[in-house]
Amino acid sequence: MKNIVILISGRGSNMQAIVDAGLPGVTIAAVIANRPDAAGIAWAAARGITTRVLDHKAYASREAFDEQLADTIDAFTPDLVVLAGFMRILTPGFTARYEGRMLNIHPSLLPAFPGLHTHERAIEAGCKVAGCTVHFVTAELDHGPVVSQGVVNIADDETPDSLAAKVLELEHQLYPAAVRWFAEGRLSIDGARVRLADLAGADAAMMVPAP
Ligand code: GRF
């Protein structure tokens, strides 16, 4: 069994997708939020999942919060930490501690559009496609070895909201698959690249689903 700790800040729909996937060999050890009003916490608690809330506003510095967060995470002895809409810039000490065992999902085709407002920016830039990226977390925000990417078309009349909805649907497919691959011990990091062992069939399609 692999222990997974999921960090959220808000509604937690990606967390829900991972939980609902019922991944074999995966225990959701805890869901942790940095905001007391994160809707995903109530959702997880209602399903009997252990939850913790650590309000970042109660800490004097980013370092102090990250230290407490790491202690809270480590109490669950996770094999993998999953950032699922966790809206915090992480300190280098924190990212180093979980190097190679912390994943994030970002709603753009990285390295394009790290940071916020990705859908607006992709439309404004005239992109014909957009998407999402699952990647290992490094010290640099929204960078790190890419596990998988999903692509959607940007229609002529696309709005940030319509694009966000399309991309989110894809996120809910990609993220559980990536967590499963990790739990199966099939991901290996080779510089900026991530290799998936025994890549075939449905897994290959899930690594880069295209429109
Ligand atoms: C998702 O779009 C994710 O890619 C980004 O934040 C959003 C979180 O949504 N990092 P949710 O909380 O998982 O519903």
Side-chain angles (χ1 to χ4, degrees):
M1 267 299 173
K2 300 285 185 193
N3 272 347
I4 309 277
V5 168
I6 305 179
L7 307 190
I8 64 169
S9 295
R11 69 189 160 185
S13 71
N14 278 287
M15 175 270 295
Q16 294 178 23
I18 292 166
V19 170
D20 284 343
L23 301 173
V26 169
T27 300
I28 311 296
V31 174
I32 302 173
N34 67 312
R35 290 193 188 134
D37 60 349
I41 283 292
W43 187 93
R47 275 147 192 87
I49 297 170
T50 302
T51 60
R52 296 279 186 276
V53 174
L54 237 65
D55 187 350
H56 64 272
K57 292 197 188 110
Y59 294 82
S61 68
R62 204 172 275 285
E63 284 73 18
F65 173 74
D66 277 7
E67 266 173 42
Q68 185 58 47
L69 179 61
D71 285 350
T72 307
I73 293 170
D74 289 349
F76 297 102
T77 57
D79 298 282
L80 177 68
V81 177
V82 173
L83 307 184
F86 189 61
M87 305 300 281
R88 293 281 303 166
I89 291 174
L90 302 166
T91 55
F94 187 88
T95 55
R97 186 175 182 133
Y98 300 105
E99 189 182 349
R101 55 190 184 107
M102 181 157 62
L103 292 174
N104 182 42
I105 190 158
H106 182 74
S108 80
L109 294 171
L110 292 173
F113 311 122
L116 297 174
H117 309 300
T118 53
H119 306 303
E120 289 92 325
R121 289 157 66 202
I123 293 169
E124 270 169 27
C127 296
K128 298 296 188 196
V129 295
C132 54
T133 303
V134 178
H135 65 98
F136 281 98
V137 176
T138 57
E140 199 178 345
L141 178 71
D142 296 330
H143 277 72
V146 170
V147 175
S148 57
Q149 294 189 302
V151 180
V152 299
N153 288 320
I154 297 181
D156 285 344
D157 60 351
E158 202 74 63
T159 66
D161 282 350
S162 66
L163 184 54
K166 286 199 289 197
V167 171
L168 193 64
E169 202 177 307
L170 207 47
E171 291 182 39
H172 296 162
Q173 298 171 40
L174 253 67
Y175 219 179
V179 171
R180 175 168 59 81
W181 295 334
F182 184 95
E184 290 169 346
R186 290 167 62 199
L187 297 178
S188 55
I189 302 174
D190 176 12
R193 314 180 79 172
V194 178
R195 299 193 200 285
L196 173 63
D198 306 320
L199 182 61
D203 282 341
M206 186 51 70
M207 200 152 200
V208 196

